[in-house]
Amino acid sequence: MKLKKFFSVLPVLFGAVVSVLIFGTAKVNSSNIPPSLEEVYTRIGYTSPDEAVKKFESHFNHVLILPRIKPSISFTHQLGRFSEDNLNDSLEIKFINSKIIENHYKIVIRPLENTLTYKSNANQKDYTLKNGQKALYIEHPLFNFLIFEHDHWQYVLTIDKRVSKITADTLVEIANSIE
């Protein structure tokens, strides 16, 4: 029963809090006030998106172009994290809303030589971006993904499935905003 309850809130956690629960406990200060959202994310390596992008570009000695637009939902926080782990070097930019739990959007970028492959499944559809590149849209029980390549990078756009107004076409439009 406890596991069922944990997994029922898993979509809410979408990242940082999950990492804290799995890899370590969040410390509570002496007045028993839980850490702020910013403190939780900072503890697991998040910084500003600009700082994370600079580290990523410096590491790969190559300029990165981000989508010019993002989903038309409200966000209270924008965070970035560059993870340097040889074959898993990646940049993650996360947009969250601390008041509207389902408003979670994430961009993960990695170099083409370290791309992740995705198995074919019934809940996917192929799209063609305006630059001629193929994009793969995957519907998952918790999140929807759009995976595509641009220049030297593989991009994965992820949106919480509960944000029903953000469709595959919306994610394709975001992908097409990379110029």
Side-chain angles (χ1 to χ4, degrees), residues 113-144:
E113 53 271 7
N114 298 338
T115 59
L116 299 178
T117 56
Y118 296 87
K119 293 183 179 180
S120 179
N121 94 37
N123 297 325
Q124 70 184 41
K125 185 176 178 185
D126 293 326
Y127 286 85
T128 302
L129 301 178
K130 70 180 182 182
N131 66 3
Q133 290 289 327
K134 298 293 181 190
L136 177 65
Y137 178 75
I138 300 173
E139 290 185 1
H140 180 271
L142 302 175
F143 309 104
N144 294 330

Side-chain angles (χ1 to χ4, degrees), residues 3-169:
L3 278 178
K4 184 176 181 182
K5 186 174 184 178
F6 172 76
F7 285 112
S8 71
V9 297
L10 194 56
V12 173
L13 302 174
F14 188 51
V17 177
V18 171
S19 297
V20 170
L21 290 173
I22 294 171
F23 300 112
T25 58
K27 294 180 182 173
V28 178
N29 63 25
S30 60
S31 62
N32 288 329
I33 298 172
S36 70
L37 190 61
E38 292 84 359
E39 290 173 313
V40 170
Y41 277 99
T42 299
R43 287 180 186 169
I44 58 172
Y46 284 88
T47 62
S48 73
D50 289 339
E51 186 178 331
V53 167
K54 285 177 186 173
K55 287 180 183 177
F56 185 80
E57 290 178 331
S58 176
H59 178 77
F60 288 107
N61 198 27
H62 200 281
V63 175
L64 173 68
I65 301 171
L66 294 172
R68 286 184 297 113
I69 61 174
K70 60 185 180 213
S72 59
I73 55 177
S74 63
F75 301 107
T76 58
H77 296 77
Q78 296 181 30
L79 306 151
R81 177 171 63 179
F82 168 55
S83 299
E84 187 176 355
D85 186 22
N86 294 327
L87 293 179
N88 292 316
D89 291 352
S90 63
L91 172 68
E92 179 180 334
I93 299 179
K94 187 180 293 252
F95 300 84
I96 58 175
N97 189 314
S98 61
K99 295 175 178 48
I100 306 171
I101 295 167
E102 61 270 15
N103 284 13
H104 283 136
Y105 167 64
K106 180 170 69 168
I107 304 170
V108 177
I109 305 166
R110 56 181 33 89
L112 287 179
E113 53 271 7
N114 298 338
T115 59
L116 299 178
T117 56
Y118 296 87
K119 293 183 179 180
S120 179
N121 94 37
N123 297 325
Q124 70 184 41
K125 185 176 178 185
D126 293 326
Y127 286 85
T128 302
L129 301 178
K130 70 180 182 182
N131 66 3
Q133 290 289 327
K134 298 293 181 190
L136 177 65
Y137 178 75
I138 300 173
E139 290 185 1
H140 180 271
L142 302 175
F143 309 104
N144 294 330
F145 304 89
L146 184 73
I147 301 116
F148 61 96
E149 297 176 359
H150 188 276
D151 287 336
H152 303 281
W153 315 112
Q154 179 187 52
Y155 293 73
V156 180
L157 309 180
T158 307
I159 190 79
D160 190 305
K161 191 171 189 83
R162 296 174 292 175
V163 185
S164 59
K165 77 178 200 174
I166 307 301
T167 64
D169 290 335

